[in-house]
Amino acid sequence: MHQTVHVELGERSYDVEIGPDLLAQSGARIAPLLRRPKVAVLTDENVAALHLEALRDGLASAGIEMSSLALPAGEATKSWPHFERAVEWLLAEKVERRDIVIAFGGGVIGDLAGFAAAVLRRGVRFVQIPTSLLAQVDSSVGGKTGINAPQGKNLIGAFHQPSLVLADTSVLGTMTQRDFLSGYGEVVKYGLLGDAEFFEWLEGNGTDVSSGDMAARVRAVTRSVQMKADIVARDETEQGDRALLNLGHTFCHALEAATGYSDRLLHGEGVAIGCALAFELSARLGLCSQEDPSRVRAHLKAMGMKTDLADIPGDLPGAEALVDLMAQDKKVIDGQLRFILARGIGQAFVTSDVPREAVLSVLEDALATA
Ligand code: GLY
C-alpha cells in the first residue's frame, strides 16, 4: 500500500513516502541520511503523548538514538519565544551541521522545526514526519518554513526543503473528525485546482477517506502530494504557478482574520469555504458554468464540512471589511489583489484582474444568506 512521490528539485530533490505504519519503519528509512546514529526531534505535547514512543521504537529498531523537545500544541507556538527555545535546545543537544533534525507534528511544528533547521549553523538537513492530514498533503511538502509575526502569519521564514518526508497514514486515525475534515479541505483544493478526475473520485470516495479506509486515505494523500510536488518542481519559490496552491486562500485569509485565527474557523475549513466562494466568483465573471460552484458546495456538504459563511459561528464583518482584510494578505503585489479563479473544475489560474465590485457582490450575497 506504500507509495513514493519524488519532488524533483535538482540537488535538493527528495522523496515523500506515504502509507500506514511508517513510524515503525522510520529508522530504516532515515538511516541512509545519517552520518551518526542520533537525531533531534521537535514535536508538540499532544503528538508526543500519542506517538513519540512509536517513533522512538521505530528509530531504535535501526539503532538510532533520539532526543526530543515537545513544545505546546497550537498556533501560538509558531512565534519567536518558542522558536528561540527550539533553536537553543538544538544547540544544547549539540546538533552538528551534518546531523538531521526531525519535525514530528502538524503544520505548526513542521514550519517551526523546518525554519529552525534552516538557520541552525546556517542550515542543517531535516526530515518531516507530518502527523495531521493538512501537514501530510500540504505544509510538509515544498519547503516553506517559518513562524508568525505580530504583524501577520508566516511573515518570518525561509525556503528550506526537507531531505525526506514520511507521511504515516495510520497516525491520522488519532485526529478528531473536525481536524481531519479541515485537512480534507486542502485535499479537495487539489482536485479543484488541477485534476477534475481526482475531484470526481473524491465525490465518489470522500466518505471512505473520512471514515478511515486506509487504501482510500493513501490514494487521497498520494494524489494531493503528487500535485503539490509537480507544482513546486515547476515553481519552487512562488514566482508564478505555485500561487495556484492558494485556491480559496484569499477568501480564507480574510475569514481567518475576521474570526481572530480562533477555533471558530480552522484553516482548512476556511480553504473549503474559500474554494466555494472562488468558484462562485468565477461563475459570476462568466469564467465557468454556475453548475461548478453548486457541485463544489454539494461535495463539501456531503462530507459534512463547513461550506457557507452561515456555517461559521458568531458574527462576521460586512463585505467591505472582508475585502479590506483581503488587501492585507501578504500575497498582494503592488497593491493588487491576486485571486485564483477557475475556468471549470480542475482548471484554476492566477489573476490580478478581478473587479472589487464583483468580489463585494459575491460576499454580500454570501453574507445575506448567513
Ligand atoms: N501552502 C502553499 C504552498 O506551499 O505554496
Side-chain angles (χ1 to χ4, degrees):
M1 208 184 273
H2 288 116
Q3 301 288 330
T4 303
V5 175
H6 184 68
V7 186
E8 181 51 58
L9 288 167
E11 60 186 19
R12 282 168 292 102
S13 298
Y14 54 95
D15 285 339
V16 182
E17 309 282 356
I18 300 150
D21 303 319
L22 282 173
L23 289 188
Q25 301 167 24
S26 55
R29 301 210 180 228
I30 291 170
L33 300 172
L34 298 179
R35 307 277 160 84
R36 57 175 176 159
K38 190 175 180 315
V39 291
V41 177
L42 287 168
T43 187
D44 74 38
E45 287 160 1
N46 292 349
V47 171
L50 290 165
H51 304 297
L52 195 61
E53 287 318 304
L55 178 63
R56 191 190 303 279
D57 291 349
L59 292 167
S61 68
I64 301 167
E65 197 188 310
M66 69 166 235
S67 55
S68 64
L69 174 68
L71 297 169
E75 189 72 23
T77 293
K78 256 177 77 169
S79 58
W80 281 124
H82 292 286
F83 179 71
E84 183 179 1
R85 188 174 160 212
V87 171
E88 290 191 353
W89 177 76
L90 292 170
L91 289 171
E93 286 298 305
K94 301 194 169 43
V95 173
E96 295 175 6
R97 196 78 184 271
R98 285 147 49 116
D99 288 335
I100 294 266
V101 172
I102 294 185
F104 186 46
V108 168
I109 288 297
D111 286 7
L112 179 142
F115 185 37
V119 298
L120 189 80
R121 300 185 191 280
R122 298 203 179 90
V124 301
R125 293 167 304 151
F126 80 115
V127 170
Q128 289 267 20
I129 307 187
T131 56
S132 70
L133 180 60
L134 186 136
Q136 293 193 354
V137 299
D138 184 22
S139 55
S140 68
V141 180
K144 281 190 181 175
T145 72
I147 56 174
N148 301 328
Q151 291 83 351
K153 283 184 75 172
N154 297 323
L155 292 182
I156 303 155
F159 283 99
H160 186 51
Q161 299 292 343
S163 300
L164 174 70
V165 181
L166 296 179
D168 183 337
T169 47
S170 312
V171 167
L172 302 177
T174 58
M175 292 183 73
T176 65
Q177 189 66 352
R178 185 179 177 198
D179 282 333
F180 187 88
L181 286 179
S182 168
Y184 187 85
E186 297 278 2
V187 174
V188 173
K189 178 196 78 177
Y190 288 108
L192 295 177
L193 78 87
D195 187 346
E197 261 179 47
F198 181 48
F199 181 73
E200 205 177 317
W201 182 82
L202 290 172
E203 286 178 312
N205 299 274
T207 48
D208 290 345
V209 175
S210 71
S211 66
D213 180 296
M214 195 55 75
R217 285 192 169 180
V218 171
R219 181 158 172 182
V221 173
T222 302
R223 183 61 194 134
S224 301
V225 169
Q226 183 69 61
M227 291 195 67
K228 179 148 189 184
D230 288 349
I231 291 173
V232 168
R234 289 206 298 276
D235 177 22
E236 183 181 6
T237 57
E238 200 166 317
Q239 308 303 311
D241 266 10
R242 186 162 179 164
L244 291 172
L245 296 171
N246 295 321
L247 175 63
H249 283 62
T250 309
F251 287 108
C252 170
H253 290 153
L255 295 170
E256 283 183 301
T259 49
Y261 300 96
S262 69
D263 211 29
R264 282 172 64 195
L265 185 73
L266 303 180
H267 177 70
E269 293 173 338
V271 170
I273 295 173
C275 284
L277 290 170
F279 269 81
E280 185 59 42
L281 180 56
S282 302
R284 298 267 182 110
L285 294 171
L287 293 162
C288 67
S289 87
Q290 188 56 50
E291 278 160 34
D292 290 334
S294 304
R295 207 174 140 195
V296 174
R297 294 177 64 252
H299 179 52
L300 300 178
K301 276 201 185 306
M303 292 297 293
M305 295 168 71
K306 287 191 171 64
T307 309
D308 301 305
L309 297 187
D311 299 328
I312 303 173
D315 291 335
L316 288 172
E320 287 277 1
L322 286 173
V323 175
D324 288 346
L325 287 172
M326 287 178 186
Q328 285 164 26
D329 195 288
K330 70 177 179 305
K331 298 200 170 66
V332 169
I333 297 176
D334 296 335
Q336 286 274 33
L337 270 180
R338 255 195 322 168
F339 276 91
I340 318 304
L341 297 179
R343 297 193 176 86
I345 285 175
Q347 298 174 58
F349 64 98
V350 187
T351 178
S352 299
D353 188 20
V354 180
R356 187 182 164 96
E357 296 67 44
V359 184
L360 272 174
S361 107
V362 165
L363 285 170
E364 273 158 11
D365 291 354
L367 285 164
T369 52

